[in-house]
């Protein structure tokens, strides 16, 4: 995790969730882009359009869990880049906690798939579940 460029966010996800496999440095990598928002409350306006990115197995895992309205706690780092003549400020996800409105079954299935592919290490709970089967 980046030490001097760390952000923490509690966000709700908008309907704009984009998942794809891209080529980075000649290698195919999963890519997730989603936008977070904060609902309006008395004394504070609604905030839309915080742009979050995830790469690799983390992108696949998050994508399997989230849907419009999912609430996440995210630890990220900030980056700026220029593309299509515009400057984008983005938050690259380093860790993610799923809070509410989560697709737990789909996420668990994706986690098992990632462990089987060797992209994630099994957790203690994965090993316990395997013993029960």
């Amino acid at each position: 995790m980046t030490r001097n460029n760390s952000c923490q966010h509690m966000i709700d996800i908008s309907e704009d969730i984009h998942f794809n496999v891209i080529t980075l440095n000649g290698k195919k990598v999963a890519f997730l882009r989603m936008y977070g928002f904060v609902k309006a409350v008395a004394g504070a306006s609604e905030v839309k359009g915080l742009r979050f990115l995830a790469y690799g197995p983390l992108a696949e895992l998050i994508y399997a869990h989230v849907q419009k309205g999912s609430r996440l706690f995210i630890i990220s780092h900030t980056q700026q880049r220029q593309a299509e003549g515009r400057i984008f400020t983005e938050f690259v996800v380093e860790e993610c906690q799923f809070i509410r409105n989560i697709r737990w079954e789909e996420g668990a299935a994706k986690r098992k798939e990632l462990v089987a592919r060797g992209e994630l290490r099994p957790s203690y709970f994965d090993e316990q579940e395997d013993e029960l089967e």
Side-chain angles (χ1 to χ4, degrees):
M1 175 163 54
T2 55
R3 191 168 175 179
N4 60 353
N5 179 9
S6 183
C7 306
Q8 299 177 19
H9 311 269
M10 180 75 74
I11 61 168
D12 292 330
I13 302 299
S14 74
E15 67 274 359
D16 188 5
I17 303 169
H18 174 75
F19 180 82
N20 203 350
V21 177
I22 61 172
T23 303
L24 254 173
N25 300 325
K27 184 179 175 188
K28 299 244 183 238
V29 177
F31 169 78
L32 173 67
R33 183 189 69 226
M34 56 190 174
Y35 289 90
F37 65 93
V38 178
K39 292 182 180 179
V41 295
S45 300
E46 181 176 56
V47 178
K48 287 188 177 183
L50 293 175
R51 185 176 168 128
F52 292 87
L53 308 178
Y55 297 93
L58 181 59
E60 292 184 59
L61 193 60
I62 294 171
Y63 183 65
H65 280 88
V66 300
Q67 59 192 340
K68 178 183 177 182
S70 292
R71 178 164 288 170
L72 310 174
F73 175 75
I74 292 179
I75 298 175
S76 65
H77 69 267
T78 306
Q79 72 179 16
Q80 275 194 331
R81 66 181 182 85
Q82 188 168 355
E84 304 160 7
R86 297 174 57 195
I87 295 176
F88 294 96
T89 300
E90 305 166 324
F91 299 95
V92 180
V93 178
E94 295 177 4
E95 294 185 40
C96 178
Q97 291 283 317
F98 305 108
I99 306 297
R100 73 160 194 230
N101 199 20
I102 303 300
R103 300 181 322 175
W104 293 110
E105 292 80 20
E106 293 89 338
K110 177 54 77 172
R111 178 166 177 62
K112 276 190 162 192
E113 176 190 323
L114 291 168
V115 168
R117 288 186 351 218
E119 300 211 36
L120 288 180
R121 293 188 319 217
S123 72
Y124 171 79
F125 298 105
D126 293 331
E127 293 168 359
Q128 297 302 312
E129 190 174 288
D130 289 342
E131 288 178 11
L132 294 173
E133 291 178 354

